[in-house]
Amino acid sequence: MVNEKIEELLSKMSLDEKIAQIGSVWVHELFDESGELSEKKMEDLLSNGIGQITRVGGSSGLPPDKSVKISNQIQKFLVEKTRLGIPAIVHEECLNGYMAKGATIFPQMIGIASSWNPQIVHEMANAIRQQMRAVGAHEGLAPLLDVSRDPRWGRIEETFGEDVYLVSVFADNYIKALQKNMKNGVMATAKHFVAYAMSEGGLNCAPVHLGERELREVFLRTFEIAVKDARVGSIMNAYNEIDGVPCAASKYLLTDILRKEWKFDGIVVSDYSAIDMIENYHRIARDKIEAAFMALNAGIDVELPTRKYYADTLREGVESGRIPESLINRSVKRVLNSKLKLGLFEKPFVNEKNVFAFFDTDANRAIALNAARESIVLLKNDGILPLRNLHSIAVVGPNAANGRNMLSDYSYPSHIEAFVNNEVPDVIPTSRYLKSTEGNVKIVSILDGIREKANEKIDVKYARGCDNLDPSKDGFEEAVRIARESDLVIAVVGDRSGLSLSATTGESRDRSTLDLPGVQEELVEELYKTGKPLVVVLVNGRPFSIKWIADHANAILEAWLPGEEGGHAVADVLFGDYNPSGKLPVSFPRTVGQVPVYYSHKPTGGRSNWHGDYVEESTKPLFPFGFGLSYTKFEYSDLKIDPLIVNFEKSVNVSFKIKNTGKIAGDEVVQLYVNDKVASITRPVKELKGFAKVHLEAGEEKSVTFELPVDLLAFYDSKMNLVVEAGEFEIMVGSSSEDTRLRGSVELKSSLKVSKKRPKFFSTVKIEGGKI
């Protein structure tokens, strides 16, 4: 029935109407000089219909009640005043919140991953879905499935970290919550396909150098799971090239693997201006027609954010015989099928009443607060935390009182700031209708949170000290003065995220060093010289090489970019109202010269002892993947592996006990790692294959059992067959990738090829007990 409807529509379409369905327009292209929706511009640009409308709320600066009206007016025009009456898909950015005025701003994804709690991302994506649907949006350009192992790359903050399993679990939960049953959901867009984060020199859009085995086992794996398990509705290409072929022009990636191997049935959308880049950046196309053909032939169905190449260029290409119309028909069918899945033909309009009932509600802010709390990682504590018995505190640093700096690059204020200041990259044209970043949600700074918690019982002094990037030290004197007058110093330092040139992290804000930006470390050193106890709070988008601070500070909190409720969350942890439970989703290097440094390296790489350390430095990370402290202690015991000898069809049960041996309640993230001890292809020294966050009251003990499917032990052999080989596998359970407390082994009796369907993608976990 669905196919019949699509074929019927396609048979009625002119070439121009087909081309319109695989294109898009920015919403501000439809505005008149006063910023109002223009009937004439809609007639000029939408008379043949349109595939997508780009960022009605995200690029207009309109509040939700205004943007929903704009969405409905555009749909009304398309339904009533175009020949075929086909509604448009409205897409928006929604990485850590719907990126529009008035929408809730959750912690950035690197922080969400630090929670090691998939329920957090599920709740967040569910709230995002409700807000987007309320304003008439149907597709979200998120989440990132990039496995990121180079912190020089500015977009590492947008990822779930360095590990394929951890990224896959969080992406899977995000996609399922955002899409729901699709007709009541928002189509997720998994990006960037593929290996975007592993660029040459850590530079955005630079070439990627990977062998096919690593490409498939690590970087394609997250997308494979998104397609086969989460049933993601949309894929976005990456800007980079792999072995000389830009991803936007790669038929091997976008058709052979994505469509033929994985049976993906959704749409592929171009990253903004990626088709343009085939011609003008990668320089493999002679003209627009050739670039359009390369993208369409490779498998890009929709050009975003506007139809520069999939418009007159396609018509000219068809008429000249350079582009077969059958390629256009193929993509049009996919677009129409997505619109059917989203229920757009049945319900193109949304209710404009009570739209604010979904925006930044108390329930939304509660989710944001809980997510921010769980994202915080305690990296060091000599016992000074939680804070107690203080009369005065000096709060110092560029990120202490600046709410804007709590936000990610793809949050509305920081993103739109770049538009307003005309500092956006070339791929994002500035809209003159954006006037300011005012009217957004309330952002709680860390100074706000501390002062609220102190409640006049503690004298809280504040000095900025310095800027994030500016080299001026003019504020040092005041910062040192208030430090000397106080019982304790809290230095809040780190990044400013965004697209603007003043940003130190985010898209296109790549770095050649991983030191604290500007003169911030010098500020911390001056504060240390006062002799007062020193707590450092990091508000940042990438791991820093902070060896001096790690050696000298009394305590270090990693807060990442914690969003609108970040100030409350940090204060809760500092004062002990919340016991930190976050774990690092990415390793912290000691120096930029170690990059890439990640836990799942090969036996001869990373931190192997074969050749020893660097001349100047240890090969070990400053803080390893999976690391994070608590205000209590946990004890692991009684490892049991059943069976000890297993057939391919079975699973392995790994059980153990975990006990809170401290005096307060806490949450421990238990982590399951596996190593293939001898294999025909070199294997990582350990790989994460399961994790769970376990809550334990003081003195409480629980039993944890992981059910590990044997096909999670698979890899690609010398002939690129996916296999599980017979042999011994080491099982490791512990508190981080370096702190594995329990070890055992299991033997696999026989070697077998793994079904390409790969029905099992994750371990399952059972937590029982509660004995004190």
Side-chain angles (χ1 to χ4, degrees), residues 196-227:
Y196 182 40
M198 290 305 293
S199 56
E200 187 178 273
L203 291 170
N204 200 35
C205 306
V208 168
H209 309 289
L210 289 169
E212 186 176 0
R213 183 172 291 102
E214 186 177 9
L215 183 67
R216 283 184 173 271
E217 289 183 356
V218 179
F219 301 97
L220 283 169
R221 175 67 168 156
T222 58
F223 289 91
E224 181 184 2
I225 292 171
V227 169

Side-chain angles (χ1 to χ4, degrees), residues 50-113:
I50 196 68
Q52 298 211 9
I53 303 294
T54 298
R55 289 158 69 171
V56 171
S59 72
S60 68
L62 294 172
D65 58 334
K66 299 288 179 59
S67 66
V68 69
K69 291 181 186 297
I70 294 292
S71 293
N72 276 342
Q73 288 171 29
I74 293 171
Q75 300 289 22
K76 183 177 175 64
F77 178 90
L78 291 169
V79 171
E80 297 181 359
K81 296 189 178 182
T82 63
R83 189 172 71 90
L84 297 174
I86 302 173
I89 293 172
V90 175
H91 78 257
E92 298 278 3
E93 296 285 359
C94 65
L95 184 62
N96 60 307
Y98 165 39
M99 203 196 77
K101 186 174 289 186
T104 308
I105 305 172
F106 298 98
Q108 179 59 296
M109 290 305 202
I110 196 73
I112 293 293

Side-chain angles (χ1 to χ4, degrees), residues 119-148:
Q119 184 61 26
I120 292 290
V121 78
H122 190 93
E123 292 173 357
M124 180 185 79
N126 185 58
I128 293 169
R129 173 183 57 79
Q130 292 174 344
Q131 292 182 355
M132 290 181 70
R133 268 294 189 172
V135 295
H138 316 99
E139 179 178 2
L141 304 187
L144 269 69
L145 274 64
D146 301 295
V147 176
S148 186

Side-chain angles (χ1 to χ4, degrees), residues 340-452:
L340 281 167
K341 287 180 180 178
L342 287 163
L344 278 175
F345 289 94
E346 306 150 37
K347 200 174 178 182
F349 310 113
V350 290
N351 188 347
E352 296 178 11
K353 296 180 179 178
N354 300 321
V355 66
F356 284 109
F358 299 96
F359 277 81
D360 208 39
T361 62
D362 289 345
N364 293 152
R365 294 196 74 98
I367 295 170
L369 174 59
N370 187 47
R373 284 169 170 165
E374 293 206 33
S375 73
I376 294 171
V377 185
L378 181 59
L379 296 177
K380 180 181 180 181
N381 186 24
D382 66 1
I384 199 167
L385 296 181
L387 300 176
R388 60 180 80 83
N389 302 323
L390 296 171
H391 298 289
S392 59
I393 297 174
V395 181
V396 175
N399 288 350
N402 191 325
R404 155 66 182 82
N405 285 9
M406 309 287 280
L407 311 180
S408 70
D409 61 343
Y410 271 79
S411 62
Y412 179 77
S414 53
H415 205 80
I416 299 308
E417 170 186 76
F419 280 91
V420 174
N421 296 330
N422 294 313
E423 294 180 329
V424 294
D426 291 340
V427 298
I428 306 177
T430 302
S431 169
R432 66 179 181 275
Y433 305 106
L434 294 167
K435 303 301 182 185
S436 75
T437 60
E438 294 177 0
N440 201 48
V441 295
K442 177 186 177 185
I443 311 298
V444 182
S445 74
I446 290 174
L447 181 63
D448 292 335
I450 290 172
R451 280 181 168 160
E452 188 175 319

